[in-house]
Amino acid sequence: MNAMDLDMEYKTNRNIPIEIRLMDCIQGMSELNDSSVDVVVTSPPYNLGIGYSRYRDDIPRQEYLEWTNSWIGQVARVMKRQGSFFLNVSGSPTDPWLPFQVLEQAGRHLKLQNVIHWVKSIAIDRGDMGNYQGRPAKLAVGHYKPINSNRFLNDAHEYIFHLTKAGTTKLNKLAIGVEYTDQSNKSRWKNAGKGLRGRGNVWFIPYKTIRMRAKDRPHPATFPVKLPRMCIQLHDTKGTDMVLDPFLGLGSTALACIELDVPFLGFEIDEVYFKETQKRIESQLAKTMPFDFKPES
Ligand SMILES: C[S@@+](CC[C@H](N)C(=O)[O-])C[C@H]1O[C@@H](n2cnc3c(N)ncnc32)[C@H](O)[C@@H]1O
């Protein structure tokens, strides 16, 4: 660690470590042992010119892809053999190839086991809803950033690439299962005893409605806490001894780990986001702690 780096370690009420480090993630991961991490969930900068407070999000494409190759190389090294890497990435209407270029770099180190579609907003016509009781006249839910264009569609979706070392990582699909709408299906399907079916690879996770962006979400590109939570549950919380997010942002993955009571380590280079993450972790822990707690630094 450099002199400017900062390391904060918190404990959940079951004494599970939640650690965040203010430092470059490639440097940070280089200090971790080989095969020491069960689950990596992250969303890197997409190099689409987003206005982060410190990181420059518009470097030349080749440089960005070489950097992508370096940090994913570190992720692959620290992942356990049966670990999971959930890589959230998106393009933009004028740069739709970006997710696939990032994926190509990942493919130099890992196998693509699943492609998950994170849907932020969806409209379903009544006629497509089936004969479910109480079906509404129509359904249009979630938020997206509207695009003022007669060429491009509003972007209501991002990718979550699930990458693993051998393509053989077993998943706990029913941990994020959904209830059968028609309970008579239960008897038809193996594993349906719990009344749940696998969710599949399309996940509808809307952003919460916020009133004041600068106060409620002071970062240009976060994912909802539910996203890392579902990834970790899908991998399986049982036997998960370490979750890593190399690009912490406002700490959404850290908050998911507190909810799930699994150990966490995250890196962030920006002090403003790091401080905000500290506040979020402390407030989340305060909700679950039966006594006052002090972070260790
Ligand atoms: C897309 S955001 C992550 C948001 C996060 N998933 C959340 O929900 O809050 C990417 C973050 O990576 C940080 N970052 C950029 N380069 C970094 C590096 N080399 N090491 C650590 N963090 C970095 C940026 O400051 C930014 O906060």
Side-chain angles (χ1 to χ4, degrees):
M1 288 181 67
N2 298 319
M4 296 300 286
D5 298 340
L6 188 60
D7 188 354
M8 300 294 297
E9 186 172 324
Y10 300 86
K11 290 272 166 59
T12 69
N13 59 5
R14 278 190 43 232
N15 218 24
I16 302 294
I18 303 291
E19 187 177 349
I20 55 173
R21 297 187 191 162
L22 177 66
M23 67 188 296
D24 176 84
C25 67
I26 297 183
Q27 168 68 27
M29 286 190 280
S30 74
E31 295 170 10
L32 305 181
N33 290 334
D34 290 359
S35 307
S36 56
V37 173
D38 297 279
V39 185
V40 182
V41 188
T42 206
S43 177
Y46 299 165
N47 205 38
L48 296 174
I50 288 178
Y52 293 108
S53 83
R54 176 165 165 196
Y55 174 79
R56 270 205 59 196
D57 197 41
D58 57 354
I59 57 177
R61 179 57 52 98
Q62 196 48 38
E63 199 183 311
Y64 172 76
L65 293 175
E66 280 162 22
W67 173 75
T68 299
N69 178 41
S70 304
W71 73 259
I72 295 183
Q74 282 295 331
V75 166
R77 184 185 64 75
V78 301
M79 258 169 78
K80 291 185 185 168
R81 175 134 185 94
Q82 289 301 315
S84 284
F85 173 25
F86 295 93
L87 171 60
N88 164 227
V89 64
S90 164
S92 73
T94 50
D95 198 348
W97 279 106
L98 183 98
F100 310 110
Q101 292 175 327
V102 169
L103 180 62
E104 195 178 18
Q105 296 303 316
R108 295 163 75 161
H109 306 276
L110 294 161
K111 293 199 158 50
L112 180 60
Q113 190 170 318
N114 287 285
V115 176
I116 300 162
H117 302 268
W118 165 27
V119 175
K120 303 175 192 180
S121 169
I122 192 159
I124 305 175
D125 295 327
R126 183 167 211 228
D128 295 327
M129 260 188 261
N131 274 327
Y132 302 134
Q133 274 190 339
R135 64 180 173 164
K138 64 177 175 175
L139 196 62
V141 275
H143 304 277
Y144 52 76
K145 202 155 100 199
I147 294 168
N148 188 11
S149 161
N150 59 8
R151 290 196 283 163
F152 298 124
L153 302 175
N154 291 321
D155 212 355
H157 136 279
E158 295 196 14
Y159 292 97
I160 306 171
F161 298 124
H162 175 226
L163 297 138
T164 60
K165 282 198 165 162
T168 57
T169 297
K170 291 205 174 78
L171 298 172
N172 185 355
K173 293 199 271 184
L174 290 190
I176 55 163
V178 283
E179 276 182 33
Y180 281 98
T181 310
D182 177 354
Q183 289 291 314
S184 68
N185 278 325
K186 264 197 205 180
S187 53
R188 267 194 251 154
W189 303 101
K190 197 173 153 235
N191 280 336
K194 293 182 191 158
L196 297 176
R197 66 181 173 88
R199 182 177 293 265
N201 67 350
V202 179
W203 297 0
F204 174 58
I205 311 177
Y207 278 107
K208 282 205 177 110
T209 306
I210 49 173
R211 280 199 291 183
M212 287 169 64
R213 171 146 207 131
K215 180 172 150 290
D216 295 334
R217 206 184 290 139
H219 187 289
T222 58
F223 45 47
V225 174
K226 189 171 176 184
L227 186 151
R229 191 173 69 218
M230 283 172 62
C231 293
I232 299 162
Q233 288 176 299
L234 177 65
H235 173 84
D236 209 346
T237 52
K238 213 159 87 196
T240 288
D241 297 323
M242 181 52 73
V243 174
L244 171 69
D245 186 344
F247 302 99
L248 194 55
L250 295 190
S252 309
T253 311
L255 300 186
C257 287
I258 295 172
E259 286 178 18
L260 297 170
D261 240 324
V262 290
F264 174 76
L265 174 63
F267 301 104
E268 172 57 58
I269 41 162
D270 189 309
E271 204 172 345
V272 175
Y273 303 146
F274 188 83
K275 290 216 165 104
E276 186 61 32
T277 296
Q278 282 182 262
K279 279 197 225 152
R280 288 177 174 222
I281 291 177
E282 286 167 18
S283 137
Q284 174 89 0
L285 285 173
K287 285 185 207 152
T288 55
M289 284 281 173
F291 49 81
D292 281 349
F293 72 94
K294 295 262 179 299
E296 293 163 20
S297 62

